[in-house]
Amino acid sequence: AAKNGGRGMYRFYSAELKDVEQERQIMLDDLREAMENETLKLHYQPVVRTSDNSIVGFEALMRWEHPEKGNIPPNHFIPVAEDSDLINRLGEWAIRRACEDATAWPETVRIAVNVSAKQFANKTFVAGVTQALEATGLDPDRLELELTETVFVGDLETTEKTFAELKRIGVRLALDDFGTGYSSLSYLRSAPFDKLKVDKSFVDSCTQKDQNSAKIISAIIGLSNALGMDVTVEGVEAFDQFDLVCKKGAKYIQGWIYSKARPQAEILDEIANGGFKIKPSGPDQYRPERRSV
Ligand code: C2E
Ligand code: MG
Ligand code: MG
Ligand code: MG
């Protein structure tokens, strides 16, 4: 289409594309540097058991404070890294660092790390996981890898082989963003997931008098129970959402109502202060006395 627009148009588009490509390259270079000089960090968001408000795990989430551009969110830089081989190094770095940090936590507390589909398909992925566990001494059962349905886009035989290898090592597998992709149910038939994570979008629409979202959350919880899997509801911010998902039977919640992701130093402080419990607290307009759970 660009070519049909005549010479001027073509130049316009290619100049723009060149800018985009240049920006991509700059970001990749900056990311490489950030990994080395530690301006790229992992923060940890608690996963909480609702029955007693105890922290059962944390999800590692990348945070990048760019020296000139400020905070760049993972939804911005992860896709760029995924378009290059850098995602493999970045992903390996995250698993290694998360395992290391988790060794300083109570043994009951798990660490969840996001794994991109491209990283999962990489030939050295399983070896990287094994190395991280061996180097840090973390119990494999304490490491949970969060995958999305996109891992099934690749060759099914290879995917299943990788699943089997990971199960043999003894790490846990979670299916992230559940319900947002395609034909999720057939994946559950054969894949060895230990946990489903209900996507935040269902929780978001829950409050807008959307009966269906609440019913879907309820059904996903029921499905997980039937299949013997854990389920975490993600992205709970407000008390009315909290009430509702608790009523639907959510045993584990991860969301701002408990805490945002925080640096390892703050988590260590908390451990030193003896507490691994956390209370739900939301914005002022959601009054705690309205809570029915
Ligand atoms: P995700 O794995 O689904 O992570 C959950 C996202 O929801 C995080 O966004 C978290 O901060 C956000 N969140 C949790 N609770 C709440 C809440 O109550 N309210 C709101 N508004 N947001 C909440 P974040 O940290 O921006 O990460 C976005 C995505 O980037 C992640 O989605 C994950 O797909 C990806 N990502 C982050 N770190 C890594 C990583 O180390 N490796 C890979 N491959 N992907 C990562
Ligand atoms: Mg995740
Ligand atoms: Mg998610
Ligand atoms: Mg996601």
Side-chain angles (χ1 to χ4, degrees), residues 59-61 113-114 146 176-177 197 234 254:
E59 176 174 9
L61 295 161
V113 188
N114 291 288
E146 294 197 359
D176 204 355
D177 305 340
K197 297 193 80 175
E234 210 170 26
Q254 181 185 343

